Amino acid sequence: MAVAPPSLPEAEALATRFRALADPARLRLLGLIQAQPDGEACVCNLVEPLGLAQPTVTHHLQVLHRAGLLRREKRGIWVYYQVERAALQALRETLA
Amino acid sequence: MAVAPPSLPEAEALATRFRALADPARLRLLGLIQAQPDGEACVCNLVEPLGLAQPTVTHHLQVLHRAGLLRREKRGIWVYYQVERAALQALRETLA
């Protein structure tokens, strides 16, 4: 937490990102994506290690993407997700 | 986020803490407490800068305390709150 408390608009933007992290499946998703050899994953890589149904995993990926914590790229029939490291870094600085 | 994704119990404990942070008033409270000259505050110090009613501020302080993000100490008729820096540091490491 910076010495100056965040303004209300800043705090609202940060709270939206923390809300996206406030779910155990989404925290595990972020870890699983970062643990992939090239730091990216499609839903096909994530369903089995997470032990959740594909629509549920897709939903969580969308929540993380909307919150700016994942970026995505469509290649062929799959969408590949990578962690937005700068967004996580900004949250880390908030907690410093 | 550590290279190994968190286990489900670890992720559940972390999610509880992120849920406590997922509110703009609570983020501002943490900043306001840390911005006090001696790093501690009672609800009497927080109502005016936050612009919320005292029962609302007390509720948010309780949520942060239950999540392990604040510690508190009763002195006379007031309860004083300090930020649990080790808990914030653990969350930072999760996002590394």
Side-chain angles (χ1 to χ4, degrees), chain B:
Chain B
M1 188 64 52
V3 171
S7 69
L8 188 55
E10 284 167 347
E12 282 170 349
L14 290 165
T16 299
R17 293 193 160 174
F18 283 122
R19 202 169 298 127
L21 292 174
D23 181 284
R26 292 199 287 271
L27 288 171
R28 297 189 75 213
L29 266 178
L30 286 175
L32 283 166
I33 293 170
Q34 291 202 304
Q36 300 297 306
D38 46 6
E40 67 173 19
C42 68
V43 70
C44 58
N45 304 131
L46 299 166
V47 164
E48 192 177 310
L50 213 61
L52 296 174
Q54 194 222 300
T56 306
V57 176
T58 297
H59 162 75
H60 286 309
L61 289 168
Q62 285 171 343
V63 172
L64 290 166
H65 178 256
R66 277 200 303 271
L69 298 174
L70 289 180
R71 62 169 173 273
R72 64 185 180 189
E73 190 187 338
K74 195 164 192 297
R75 292 207 294 275
I77 62 164
W78 293 107
V79 178
Y80 289 84
Y81 291 87
Q82 290 191 346
V83 171
E84 280 282 12
R85 290 174 181 275
L88 292 188
Q89 179 59 29
L91 292 182
R92 291 187 77 211
E93 285 166 12
T94 300
L95 301 174

Side-chain angles (χ1 to χ4, degrees), chain A residues 9-63:
Chain A
E10 284 167 347
E12 282 170 349
L14 289 166
T16 299
R17 292 192 162 175
F18 283 122
R19 202 170 297 125
L21 293 175
D23 181 283
R26 293 199 286 272
L27 287 171
R28 297 190 74 212
L29 267 179
L30 286 175
L32 283 166
I33 294 169
Q34 289 201 305
Q36 300 296 305
D38 45 5
E40 67 174 18
C42 68
V43 70
C44 59
N45 304 130
L46 299 166
V47 164
E48 192 178 309
L50 213 61
L52 296 173
Q54 194 222 298
T56 306
V57 177
T58 297
H59 162 75
H60 286 309
L61 289 167
Q62 286 171 342
V63 172

